[in-house]
Amino acid sequence: MAYPNTLIFVDLAADDPSAAAKFYAEVFGWVNDPRPEGVYHRMIPGGQFRNKDGTDSTIGNLHIGIYRAANARPYPLPEGSDPRTLADTGRKARVWILISDDDTPERILATAKEKGATILWRDHYWKEFNGYNHAFRDPWNNEIVLWGKAGPEPRIPDGYTRE
């Protein structure tokens, strides 16, 4: 293979894509692009991935889609197929979000909780990937893990768990 297959975006299920899109716009500041309203929403973080020196690269940030669980589009038949409900038990995919240099996990978690999310954990350091992480479950049972860069000589704050 001369060029690898490329991840372009990830979809999240919701029973109300419009409400979910509003949630993510308010929690992360993303742009809501309904296509069409209530059926599928593309969430656009905006900006570019950063180079190691902090400047913008030529690579645009990835998008997240939000689809209506009752009839996930695209699908060859207009009536869709089962299952038509949100997953509520067991493990599922998690979405990892890099915390912007001008935002904080505290603000994100507080906003998410205010909008109906459940905080799963906070204040954890993962040495293997040298990052601070925190997590919540959105009102549609999707798990979101926040990632903060720890830097070349990390100082793990008091009270953080570690692995």
Side-chain angles (χ1 to χ4, degrees):
M1 185 179 330
Y3 188 80
N5 297 304
T6 303
L7 174 68
I8 54 171
F9 58 89
V10 174
D11 280 344
L12 301 176
D15 57 0
D16 184 345
S18 297
K22 182 178 180 189
F23 173 90
Y24 282 99
E26 291 174 357
V27 170
F28 291 117
W30 295 343
V31 174
N32 175 15
D33 180 22
R35 305 188 67 174
E37 178 74 38
V39 175
Y40 189 89
H41 290 246
R42 181 175 66 154
M43 302 306 297
I44 306 168
Q48 306 294 107
F49 281 105
R50 301 286 174 132
N51 293 314
K52 287 184 179 184
D53 67 0
T55 60
D56 284 346
S57 76
T58 58
I59 304 166
N61 286 324
L62 300 176
H63 298 173
I64 287 185
I66 301 172
Y67 68 93
R68 188 164 40 100
N71 190 352
R73 309 310 306 157
Y75 189 76
L77 302 174
E79 64 274 9
S81 71
D82 290 333
R84 296 177 187 274
T85 58
L86 299 173
D88 60 354
T89 61
R91 293 285 182 199
K92 57 187 87 78
R94 297 185 296 179
V95 177
W96 293 72
I97 306 295
L98 179 63
I99 301 165
S100 173
D101 290 340
D102 63 353
D103 204 350
T104 66
E106 294 80 15
R107 190 216 55 84
I108 293 169
L109 292 170
T111 303
K113 185 174 180 179
E114 175 187 306
K115 303 296 178 187
T118 301
I119 306 304
L120 299 174
W121 78 82
R122 60 177 76 226
D123 303 339
H124 180 72
Y125 174 70
W126 194 4
K127 182 179 180 180
E128 183 69 26
F129 291 98
N130 191 31
Y132 306 118
N133 54 80
H134 324 265
F136 65 86
R137 182 179 301 116
D138 75 13
W140 302 273
N141 292 322
N142 297 298
E143 293 185 14
I144 308 300
V145 182
L146 305 177
W147 185 264
K149 297 176 194 172
E153 293 182 35
R155 293 181 178 229
I156 294 71
D158 290 339
Y160 269 56
T161 56
R162 305 165 188 229
E163 66 180 273

